[in-house]
Amino acid sequence: MTALNQTAANVVVYGSPAVAHGTAGGTITAGMPVYRDTGDSNKLKACRANAATTAVCYGVALNSASNGQPLAVLRAADSVINLGATVAAGIVYCVSDAVAGQIVPSGDLGSGDYTSVIGIGINTTHVQMNINNSGVAIA
């Protein structure tokens, strides 16, 4: 499988989600998983599963933003989100190791990657979010 191709204009959250607000620490596109960079005033930056610090998913960006601009982030467990991408029901989706801000099926991760689950596909367009930052690298 390959990374999801999120379409920022199509990112939609359903229900009454818990949304956090922060400041972008780089160019962020709606639908990207982000982490809080504690070494840079807790700015929100694109996640990447190749390092323990950048793999800790804080949530999924709900709007696009440039460095220093406000950013809304979906944090709630059990929220349903349309990432503007085609997903597969029953597949676990995680933070990508290859490119910051991408989401991949868990099977795409390999040795040395940190497993940070975003959620599970519930049909061809929606992911049931349930962020789980394991803090553990795949052996």
Side-chain angles (χ1 to χ4, degrees):
M1 300 186 106
T2 59
L4 297 183
N5 186 17
Q6 299 106 292
T7 303
N10 296 338
V11 173
V12 178
V13 177
Y14 299 92
S16 301
V19 177
H21 299 274
T23 302
T27 301
I28 303 294
T29 304
M32 282 184 165
V34 296
Y35 74 99
R36 288 189 312 170
D37 187 345
T38 57
D40 189 12
S41 303
N42 286 321
K43 287 185 178 177
L44 301 170
K45 299 181 178 180
C47 281
R48 188 166 177 200
N50 65 343
T53 54
T54 62
V56 178
C57 184
Y58 180 68
V60 174
L62 295 177
N63 63 285
S64 297
S66 295
N67 188 33
Q69 291 183 320
L71 186 64
V73 178
L74 177 62
R75 296 210 6 99
D78 299 325
S79 292
V80 175
I81 187 169
N82 179 337
L83 293 167
T86 301
V87 299
I91 298 295
V92 175
Y93 288 95
C94 298
V95 171
S96 171
D97 67 321
V99 177
Q102 283 189 337
I103 298 173
V104 296
S106 61
D108 283 12
L109 298 176
S111 180
D113 296 335
Y114 288 82
T115 305
S116 294
V117 174
I118 301 294
I120 299 173
I122 58 174
N123 58 35
T124 60
T125 57
H126 296 86
V127 172
Q128 178 86 35
M129 279 192 49
N130 195 357
I131 296 171
N132 183 343
N133 295 301
S134 72
V136 177
I138 297 171

